[in-house]
Amino acid sequence: MQTNRSNIGAFVGGAILIAFGLLSLTGQLFRALNWNFLWPFIIIAIGGVFFVAMFAGGKQAAAFAIPGSIVSGVGLVLLFQTILDHWESMSYFWTLIILFVGTGIYIMGWYAADTKQKESGWRVMKIGFILFIIFGTFFEMIFSGFSNTLFPILLIAVGGYLVLTRSGLFGAKKPDSAETLPPTH
């Protein structure tokens, strides 16, 4: 007798094989389709299969939300890049994978009614989003025309802020030597 987990694995594997078979057959029959635009939808659909497996497997299959979120998210990013022809964003694309992992953990916690997992997923999503903003801003300024003046000014401003806050001139209190040393007896 097969376990429910092996049934879900066979389901996901079979669904992926069917999807590739249908795509191959469609490609042979309809050569006029613009595959340059449609291929990200294939990746999004494969991610969707993981969500179908999650719902089909019940609460014990909630972990399928993580690969489902990652694969679907990657597909959405690739669709964005294909539509806008903005492939420069691949330089900071990896930060979104962290966001997608957090989304998957959050969905897993939501589906399994686990508040701690939802909170963990939310924290990971925030980290991914913050990294996306930081690296996206950095690389977009490099790849756009602003890098000649705006980027050096930003570096000077961030460096100045760090120097001022660490030196105590900007309101940060420097610890006294008595506060940092343990008492001697």
Side-chain angles (χ1 to χ4, degrees):
M1 181 176 188
Q2 287 187 333
T3 64
N4 192 23
R5 186 168 282 186
S6 65
N7 286 340
I8 294 170
F11 174 80
V12 170
I16 290 172
L17 289 174
I18 290 169
F20 281 129
L22 287 172
L23 289 171
S24 178
L25 182 61
T26 304
Q28 295 298 320
L29 296 176
F30 302 103
R31 296 215 183 260
L33 286 177
N34 183 3
W35 289 103
N36 292 334
F37 176 72
L38 294 176
W39 70 272
F41 289 104
I42 298 166
I43 297 170
I44 295 169
I46 292 171
V49 169
F50 285 101
F51 285 109
V52 170
M54 179 185 81
F55 288 115
K59 291 189 187 279
Q60 69 269 15
F64 277 112
I66 297 171
S69 295
I70 295 168
V71 174
S72 296
V74 168
L76 288 170
V77 168
L78 293 172
L79 179 63
F80 166 80
Q81 292 172 330
T82 300
I83 291 171
L84 298 180
D85 196 31
H86 187 67
W87 295 98
E88 294 85 4
S89 63
M90 288 300 281
S91 60
Y92 53 92
F93 164 73
W94 62 272
T95 59
L96 289 177
I97 294 175
I98 297 169
L99 182 94
F100 300 148
V101 168
T103 303
I105 294 170
Y106 184 87
I107 292 170
M108 179 175 67
W110 166 77
Y111 188 66
D114 186 340
T115 306
K116 290 187 187 258
Q117 280 184 335
K118 282 175 49 178
E119 291 170 0
S120 295
W122 184 247
R123 282 192 301 272
V124 173
M125 286 185 340
K126 286 194 291 189
I127 291 168
F129 182 72
I130 290 167
L131 290 173
F132 175 73
I133 296 298
I134 291 169
F135 284 94
T137 302
F138 175 78
F139 283 111
E140 285 298 326
M141 285 198 296
I142 286 175
F143 291 127
S144 68
F146 296 115
S147 63
N148 293 337
T149 56
L150 187 60
F151 185 65
I153 292 170
L154 182 64
L155 287 176
I156 293 167
V158 170
Y161 172 78
L162 290 173
V163 166
L164 291 174
T165 57
R166 299 299 181 237
S167 67
L169 297 175
F170 217 35
K173 182 183 170 193
K174 290 173 66 175
D176 294 337
S177 59
E179 292 178 352
T180 58
L181 297 175
T184 56
H185 293 266

Short mmCIF file of all heavy atoms in Angstrom, two decimals, residues 48-103:
data_model
loop_
_atom_site.label_atom_id
_atom_site.label_comp_id
_atom_site.label_asym_id
_atom_site.label_seq_id
_atom_site.Cartn_x
_atom_site.Cartn_y
_atom_site.Cartn_z
N GLY A 48 2.26 26.22 -10.21
CA GLY A 48 0.87 25.98 -9.85
C GLY A 48 0.60 24.52 -9.53
O GLY A 48 -0.26 24.21 -8.69
N VAL A 49 1.32 23.61 -10.18
CA VAL A 49 1.16 22.17 -9.90
C VAL A 49 1.49 21.88 -8.44
O VAL A 49 0.83 21.06 -7.80
CB VAL A 49 2.03 21.33 -10.87
CG1 VAL A 49 2.09 19.88 -10.44
CG2 VAL A 49 1.52 21.45 -12.29
N PHE A 50 2.49 22.55 -7.90
CA PHE A 50 2.84 22.35 -6.50
C PHE A 50 1.70 22.79 -5.57
O PHE A 50 1.44 22.15 -4.55
CB PHE A 50 4.13 23.09 -6.14
CG PHE A 50 5.36 22.43 -6.67
CD1 PHE A 50 5.99 22.91 -7.82
CD2 PHE A 50 5.90 21.32 -6.04
CE1 PHE A 50 7.12 22.31 -8.31
CE2 PHE A 50 7.04 20.71 -6.52
CZ PHE A 50 7.65 21.20 -7.66
N PHE A 51 1.03 23.87 -5.93
CA PHE A 51 -0.11 24.31 -5.12
C PHE A 51 -1.28 23.34 -5.24
O PHE A 51 -1.98 23.08 -4.25
CB PHE A 51 -0.53 25.73 -5.50
CG PHE A 51 0.40 26.78 -4.98
CD1 PHE A 51 1.22 27.47 -5.85
CD2 PHE A 51 0.46 27.06 -3.63
CE1 PHE A 51 2.09 28.44 -5.37
CE2 PHE A 51 1.33 28.04 -3.14
CZ PHE A 51 2.15 28.72 -4.02
N VAL A 52 -1.49 22.79 -6.44
CA VAL A 52 -2.53 21.78 -6.59
C VAL A 52 -2.20 20.57 -5.71
O VAL A 52 -3.07 20.02 -5.03
CB VAL A 52 -2.67 21.36 -8.07
CG1 VAL A 52 -3.57 20.14 -8.23
CG2 VAL A 52 -3.23 22.53 -8.89
N ALA A 53 -0.93 20.17 -5.68
CA ALA A 53 -0.51 19.06 -4.84
C ALA A 53 -0.71 19.38 -3.36
O ALA A 53 -1.09 18.52 -2.56
CB ALA A 53 0.95 18.71 -5.10
N MET A 54 -0.47 20.63 -2.99
CA MET A 54 -0.67 21.03 -1.59
C MET A 54 -2.14 20.88 -1.20
O MET A 54 -2.46 20.29 -0.17
CB MET A 54 -0.24 22.49 -1.41
CG MET A 54 -0.44 23.02 0.01
SD MET A 54 -0.07 24.78 0.19
CE MET A 54 -1.59 25.50 -0.42
N PHE A 55 -3.04 21.38 -2.04
CA PHE A 55 -4.46 21.28 -1.72
C PHE A 55 -4.95 19.84 -1.81
O PHE A 55 -5.80 19.42 -1.03
CB PHE A 55 -5.29 22.19 -2.63
CG PHE A 55 -5.12 23.65 -2.31
CD1 PHE A 55 -4.52 24.50 -3.22
CD2 PHE A 55 -5.54 24.16 -1.08
CE1 PHE A 55 -4.37 25.85 -2.92
CE2 PHE A 55 -5.38 25.50 -0.79
CZ PHE A 55 -4.79 26.35 -1.70
N ALA A 56 -4.41 19.06 -2.75
CA ALA A 56 -4.83 17.66 -2.89
C ALA A 56 -4.33 16.80 -1.74
O ALA A 56 -5.00 15.85 -1.34
CB ALA A 56 -4.31 17.09 -4.22
N GLY A 57 -3.18 17.15 -1.17
CA GLY A 57 -2.59 16.34 -0.10
C GLY A 57 -3.05 16.70 1.29
O GLY A 57 -2.70 16.01 2.25
N GLY A 58 -3.76 17.79 1.45
CA GLY A 58 -4.23 18.18 2.77
C GLY A 58 -3.14 18.91 3.55
O GLY A 58 -2.10 19.28 3.02
N LYS A 59 -3.39 19.09 4.83
CA LYS A 59 -2.48 19.88 5.68
C LYS A 59 -1.09 19.28 5.78
O LYS A 59 -0.12 20.00 5.93
CB LYS A 59 -3.08 20.05 7.07
CG LYS A 59 -4.30 20.94 7.07
CD LYS A 59 -4.73 21.27 8.47
CE LYS A 59 -6.03 22.02 8.49
NZ LYS A 59 -5.92 23.42 8.22
N GLN A 60 -0.95 17.97 5.68
CA GLN A 60 0.38 17.37 5.77
C GLN A 60 1.21 17.65 4.51
O GLN A 60 2.41 17.45 4.51
CB GLN A 60 0.31 15.86 6.04
CG GLN A 60 -0.22 15.02 4.92
CD GLN A 60 -1.73 14.82 4.98
OE1 GLN A 60 -2.43 15.52 5.69
NE2 GLN A 60 -2.22 13.87 4.22
N ALA A 61 0.58 18.12 3.45
CA ALA A 61 1.31 18.47 2.22
C ALA A 61 1.49 19.97 2.08
O ALA A 61 1.79 20.48 1.00
CB ALA A 61 0.56 17.91 1.01
N ALA A 62 1.35 20.71 3.19
CA ALA A 62 1.45 22.17 3.15
C ALA A 62 2.81 22.65 2.68
O ALA A 62 2.94 23.74 2.13
CB ALA A 62 1.13 22.75 4.53
N ALA A 63 3.85 21.85 2.86
CA ALA A 63 5.21 22.25 2.47
C ALA A 63 5.35 22.43 0.96
O ALA A 63 6.30 23.07 0.51
CB ALA A 63 6.23 21.22 2.96
N PHE A 64 4.42 21.90 0.17
CA PHE A 64 4.47 22.12 -1.28
C PHE A 64 4.30 23.60 -1.63
O PHE A 64 4.58 24.00 -2.76
CB PHE A 64 3.40 21.30 -2.01
CG PHE A 64 3.81 19.88 -2.28
CD1 PHE A 64 3.17 18.84 -1.62
CD2 PHE A 64 4.82 19.59 -3.17
CE1 PHE A 64 3.54 17.53 -1.86
CE2 PHE A 64 5.19 18.29 -3.42
CZ PHE A 64 4.55 17.25 -2.77
N ALA A 65 3.86 24.40 -0.67
CA ALA A 65 3.72 25.84 -0.93
C ALA A 65 5.06 26.50 -1.17
O ALA A 65 5.15 27.48 -1.92
CB ALA A 65 3.01 26.51 0.26
N ILE A 66 6.12 25.98 -0.56
CA ILE A 66 7.44 26.61 -0.71
C ILE A 66 7.96 26.47 -2.14
O ILE A 66 8.25 27.47 -2.79
CB ILE A 66 8.43 26.09 0.34
CG1 ILE A 66 7.93 26.46 1.74
CG2 ILE A 66 9.83 26.65 0.11
CD1 ILE A 66 8.71 25.83 2.88
N PRO A 67 8.09 25.23 -2.69
CA PRO A 67 8.55 25.17 -4.09
C PRO A 67 7.53 25.79 -5.05
O PRO A 67 7.92 26.36 -6.07
CB PRO A 67 8.75 23.68 -4.35
CG PRO A 67 7.95 22.98 -3.32
CD PRO A 67 7.93 23.88 -2.13
N GLY A 68 6.24 25.73 -4.70
CA GLY A 68 5.24 26.36 -5.55
C GLY A 68 5.44 27.86 -5.64
O GLY A 68 5.35 28.45 -6.71
N SER A 69 5.72 28.48 -4.49
CA SER A 69 5.96 29.93 -4.47
C SER A 69 7.23 30.30 -5.21
O SER A 69 7.27 31.29 -5.94
CB SER A 69 6.05 30.43 -3.03
OG SER A 69 4.82 30.27 -2.38
N ILE A 70 8.28 29.50 -5.01
CA ILE A 70 9.55 29.80 -5.68
C ILE A 70 9.40 29.69 -7.19
O ILE A 70 9.76 30.62 -7.93
CB ILE A 70 10.67 28.87 -5.17
CG1 ILE A 70 10.94 29.13 -3.68
CG2 ILE A 70 11.94 29.05 -5.99
CD1 ILE A 70 11.82 28.09 -3.03
N VAL A 71 8.89 28.57 -7.66
CA VAL A 71 8.79 28.34 -9.11
C VAL A 71 7.81 29.33 -9.76
O VAL A 71 8.12 29.92 -10.80
CB VAL A 71 8.40 26.87 -9.41
CG1 VAL A 71 8.17 26.65 -10.88
CG2 VAL A 71 9.48 25.92 -8.89
N SER A 72 6.66 29.53 -9.14
CA SER A 72 5.70 30.50 -9.70
C SER A 72 6.27 31.91 -9.69
O SER A 72 6.09 32.66 -10.65
CB SER A 72 4.39 30.48 -8.89
OG SER A 72 3.77 29.24 -8.98
N GLY A 73 6.94 32.27 -8.60
CA GLY A 73 7.55 33.60 -8.52
C GLY A 73 8.62 33.81 -9.56
O GLY A 73 8.69 34.88 -10.19
N VAL A 74 9.46 32.80 -9.76
CA VAL A 74 10.49 32.89 -10.81
C VAL A 74 9.83 33.07 -12.17
O VAL A 74 10.25 33.89 -12.99
CB VAL A 74 11.41 31.66 -10.78
CG1 VAL A 74 12.28 31.58 -12.02
CG2 VAL A 74 12.28 31.66 -9.52
N GLY A 75 8.75 32.33 -12.41
CA GLY A 75 8.03 32.47 -13.67
C GLY A 75 7.47 33.88 -13.85
O GLY A 75 7.53 34.44 -14.95
N LEU A 76 6.93 34.46 -12.78
CA LEU A 76 6.39 35.82 -12.87
C LEU A 76 7.50 36.84 -13.15
O LEU A 76 7.30 37.77 -13.94
CB LEU A 76 5.65 36.18 -11.58
CG LEU A 76 4.32 35.48 -11.37
CD1 LEU A 76 3.79 35.73 -9.97
CD2 LEU A 76 3.31 35.95 -12.41
N VAL A 77 8.65 36.67 -12.51
CA VAL A 77 9.77 37.58 -12.77
C VAL A 77 10.23 37.45 -14.22
O VAL A 77 10.49 38.45 -14.89
CB VAL A 77 10.93 37.31 -11.79
CG1 VAL A 77 12.19 38.04 -12.22
CG2 VAL A 77 10.54 37.71 -10.38
N LEU A 78 10.33 36.22 -14.70
CA LEU A 78 10.75 36.02 -16.09
C LEU A 78 9.72 36.58 -17.06
O LEU A 78 10.09 37.09 -18.12
CB LEU A 78 11.02 34.54 -16.34
CG LEU A 78 12.23 33.98 -15.59
CD1 LEU A 78 12.31 32.46 -15.75
CD2 LEU A 78 13.51 34.64 -16.02
N LEU A 79 8.44 36.50 -16.72
CA LEU A 79 7.41 37.11 -17.55
C LEU A 79 7.58 38.62 -17.59
O LEU A 79 7.54 39.24 -18.66
CB LEU A 79 6.01 36.75 -17.02
CG LEU A 79 4.83 37.34 -17.78
CD1 LEU A 79 4.80 36.84 -19.22
CD2 LEU A 79 3.53 37.02 -17.05
N PHE A 80 7.83 39.22 -16.44
CA PHE A 80 8.08 40.66 -16.36
C PHE A 80 9.28 41.03 -17.23
O PHE A 80 9.23 42.00 -18.00
CB PHE A 80 8.34 41.05 -14.90
CG PHE A 80 8.93 42.41 -14.71
CD1 PHE A 80 8.15 43.54 -14.77
CD2 PHE A 80 10.29 42.57 -14.47
CE1 PHE A 80 8.69 44.81 -14.60
CE2 PHE A 80 10.86 43.81 -14.30
CZ PHE A 80 10.05 44.94 -14.36
N GLN A 81 10.36 40.26 -17.11
CA GLN A 81 11.56 40.57 -17.89
C GLN A 81 11.33 40.37 -19.38
O GLN A 81 11.86 41.12 -20.20
CB GLN A 81 12.72 39.69 -17.41
CG GLN A 81 13.18 40.06 -16.02
CD GLN A 81 14.20 39.09 -15.47
OE1 GLN A 81 14.20 37.91 -15.80
NE2 GLN A 81 15.07 39.59 -14.61
N THR A 82 10.53 39.38 -19.74
CA THR A 82 10.25 39.13 -21.15
C THR A 82 9.39 40.24 -21.74
O THR A 82 9.67 40.73 -22.83
CB THR A 82 9.53 37.77 -21.31
OG1 THR A 82 10.38 36.74 -20.80
CG2 THR A 82 9.20 37.49 -22.76
N ILE A 83 8.37 40.66 -21.01
CA ILE A 83 7.47 41.70 -21.51
C ILE A 83 8.20 43.03 -21.66
O ILE A 83 8.09 43.70 -22.68
CB ILE A 83 6.24 41.86 -20.59
CG1 ILE A 83 5.34 40.62 -20.69
CG2 ILE A 83 5.45 43.11 -20.92
CD1 ILE A 83 4.23 40.58 -19.66
N LEU A 84 8.94 43.41 -20.63
CA LEU A 84 9.61 44.72 -20.65
C LEU A 84 11.01 44.69 -21.24
O LEU A 84 11.63 45.74 -21.38
CB LEU A 84 9.68 45.28 -19.22
CG LEU A 84 8.34 45.54 -18.55
CD1 LEU A 84 8.54 46.09 -17.16
CD2 LEU A 84 7.48 46.49 -19.38
N ASP A 85 11.50 43.50 -21.56
CA ASP A 85 12.86 43.33 -22.07
C ASP A 85 13.86 44.03 -21.14
O ASP A 85 14.75 44.74 -21.57
CB ASP A 85 12.98 43.87 -23.50
CG ASP A 85 14.23 43.37 -24.19
OD1 ASP A 85 14.68 42.24 -23.88
OD2 ASP A 85 14.78 44.10 -25.04
N HIS A 86 13.69 43.78 -19.85
CA HIS A 86 14.52 44.40 -18.82
C HIS A 86 15.36 43.32 -18.13
O HIS A 86 15.20 43.03 -16.94
CB HIS A 86 13.63 45.13 -17.81
CG HIS A 86 14.39 45.93 -16.80
ND1 HIS A 86 15.11 47.05 -17.15
CD2 HIS A 86 14.55 45.77 -15.49
CE1 HIS A 86 15.66 47.54 -16.06
NE2 HIS A 86 15.34 46.79 -15.03
N TRP A 87 16.26 42.73 -18.85
CA TRP A 87 17.04 41.60 -18.36
C TRP A 87 18.14 42.03 -17.39
O TRP A 87 18.75 41.20 -16.73
CB TRP A 87 17.61 40.81 -19.53
CG TRP A 87 16.50 40.20 -20.32
CD1 TRP A 87 15.94 40.68 -21.46
CD2 TRP A 87 15.78 39.02 -19.99
NE1 TRP A 87 14.92 39.88 -21.87
CE2 TRP A 87 14.80 38.83 -20.99
CE3 TRP A 87 15.86 38.10 -18.95
CZ2 TRP A 87 13.90 37.77 -20.97
CZ3 TRP A 87 14.97 37.03 -18.93
CH2 TRP A 87 14.01 36.88 -19.94
N GLU A 88 18.37 43.34 -17.27
CA GLU A 88 19.36 43.83 -16.31
C GLU A 88 18.96 43.49 -14.88
O GLU A 88 19.80 43.39 -13.99
CB GLU A 88 19.54 45.35 -16.44
CG GLU A 88 20.14 45.80 -17.74
CD GLU A 88 19.08 45.97 -18.84
OE1 GLU A 88 17.87 45.82 -18.57
OE2 GLU A 88 19.49 46.25 -19.97
N SER A 89 17.67 43.30 -14.65
CA SER A 89 17.20 43.00 -13.30
C SER A 89 17.66 41.63 -12.82
O SER A 89 17.51 41.31 -11.64
CB SER A 89 15.68 43.11 -13.22
OG SER A 89 15.07 42.16 -14.05
N MET A 90 18.24 40.83 -13.69
CA MET A 90 18.79 39.54 -13.26
C MET A 90 19.92 39.74 -12.24
O MET A 90 20.22 38.85 -11.47
CB MET A 90 19.32 38.74 -14.46
CG MET A 90 18.23 38.20 -15.35
SD MET A 90 17.11 37.08 -14.52
CE MET A 90 18.09 35.59 -14.49
N SER A 91 20.52 40.93 -12.21
CA SER A 91 21.63 41.19 -11.29
C SER A 91 21.17 41.20 -9.83
O SER A 91 21.97 40.95 -8.94
CB SER A 91 22.32 42.50 -11.65
OG SER A 91 21.41 43.57 -11.57
N TYR A 92 19.92 41.48 -9.59
CA TYR A 92 19.41 41.46 -8.21
C TYR A 92 18.18 40.56 -8.07
O TYR A 92 17.50 40.57 -7.06
CB TYR A 92 19.08 42.88 -7.72
CG TYR A 92 18.17 43.67 -8.63
CD1 TYR A 92 16.80 43.65 -8.45
CD2 TYR A 92 18.69 44.46 -9.63
CE1 TYR A 92 15.96 44.38 -9.27
CE2 TYR A 92 17.87 45.19 -10.46
CZ TYR A 92 16.51 45.15 -10.27
OH TYR A 92 15.68 45.88 -11.09
N PHE A 93 17.96 39.74 -9.05
CA PHE A 93 16.84 38.80 -9.07
C PHE A 93 16.88 37.82 -7.90
O PHE A 93 15.85 37.44 -7.35
CB PHE A 93 16.88 38.06 -10.41
CG PHE A 93 16.06 36.82 -10.48
CD1 PHE A 93 14.69 36.90 -10.55
CD2 PHE A 93 16.66 35.58 -10.48
CE1 PHE A 93 13.93 35.75 -10.63
CE2 PHE A 93 15.91 34.44 -10.56
CZ PHE A 93 14.54 34.52 -10.63
N TRP A 94 18.07 37.42 -7.46
CA TRP A 94 18.20 36.43 -6.40
C TRP A 94 17.52 36.88 -5.11
O TRP A 94 17.07 36.04 -4.33
CB TRP A 94 19.68 36.12 -6.14
CG TRP A 94 20.46 37.31 -5.68
CD1 TRP A 94 21.09 38.24 -6.44
CD2 TRP A 94 20.66 37.73 -4.32
NE1 TRP A 94 21.68 39.20 -5.67
CE2 TRP A 94 21.44 38.91 -4.36
CE3 TRP A 94 20.29 37.21 -3.09
CZ2 TRP A 94 21.82 39.58 -3.21
CZ3 TRP A 94 20.67 37.89 -1.95
CH2 TRP A 94 21.43 39.05 -2.01
N THR A 95 17.41 38.17 -4.87
CA THR A 95 16.76 38.64 -3.65
C THR A 95 15.29 38.28 -3.64
O THR A 95 14.71 38.06 -2.57
CB THR A 95 16.92 40.16 -3.50
OG1 THR A 95 16.34 40.82 -4.63
CG2 THR A 95 18.39 40.54 -3.39
N LEU A 96 14.68 38.20 -4.81
CA LEU A 96 13.27 37.83 -4.88
C LEU A 96 13.06 36.37 -4.52
O LEU A 96 12.00 36.01 -4.04
CB LEU A 96 12.71 38.14 -6.27
CG LEU A 96 12.56 39.62 -6.58
CD1 LEU A 96 12.07 39.82 -8.00
CD2 LEU A 96 11.62 40.29 -5.59
N ILE A 97 14.05 35.53 -4.75
CA ILE A 97 13.92 34.13 -4.37
C ILE A 97 13.76 34.03 -2.84
O ILE A 97 12.96 33.24 -2.35
CB ILE A 97 15.10 33.30 -4.88
CG1 ILE A 97 15.05 33.27 -6.42
CG2 ILE A 97 15.07 31.89 -4.32
CD1 ILE A 97 16.21 32.60 -7.08
N ILE A 98 14.48 34.87 -2.10
CA ILE A 98 14.31 34.91 -0.65
C ILE A 98 12.88 35.32 -0.31
O ILE A 98 12.23 34.72 0.56
CB ILE A 98 15.34 35.87 -0.01
CG1 ILE A 98 16.76 35.37 -0.27
CG2 ILE A 98 15.08 36.03 1.48
CD1 ILE A 98 17.84 36.36 0.07
N LEU A 99 12.37 36.32 -1.01
CA LEU A 99 10.99 36.75 -0.81
C LEU A 99 10.01 35.62 -1.13
O LEU A 99 9.04 35.41 -0.39
CB LEU A 99 10.70 37.97 -1.69
CG LEU A 99 9.32 38.57 -1.55
CD1 LEU A 99 9.35 39.70 -0.54
CD2 LEU A 99 8.83 39.08 -2.87
N PHE A 100 10.26 34.87 -2.20
CA PHE A 100 9.37 33.78 -2.59
C PHE A 100 9.41 32.64 -1.56
O PHE A 100 8.39 32.01 -1.28
CB PHE A 100 9.72 33.24 -3.97
CG PHE A 100 9.62 34.27 -5.07
CD1 PHE A 100 10.47 34.22 -6.16
CD2 PHE A 100 8.70 35.31 -5.01
CE1 PHE A 100 10.39 35.16 -7.17
CE2 PHE A 100 8.61 36.26 -6.00
CZ PHE A 100 9.45 36.18 -7.10
N VAL A 101 10.60 32.37 -1.00
CA VAL A 101 10.70 31.35 0.05
C VAL A 101 9.85 31.79 1.25
O VAL A 101 9.08 30.99 1.81
CB VAL A 101 12.17 31.12 0.47
CG1 VAL A 101 12.25 30.28 1.74
CG2 VAL A 101 12.93 30.43 -0.65
N GLY A 102 9.97 33.06 1.64
CA GLY A 102 9.16 33.56 2.75
C GLY A 102 7.67 33.48 2.45
O GLY A 102 6.87 33.14 3.33
N THR A 103 7.29 33.77 1.22
CA THR A 103 5.89 33.66 0.82
C THR A 103 5.41 32.22 0.95
O THR A 103 4.32 31.96 1.46
CB THR A 103 5.70 34.17 -0.62
OG1 THR A 103 6.17 35.51 -0.71
CG2 THR A 103 4.25 34.09 -1.04
#
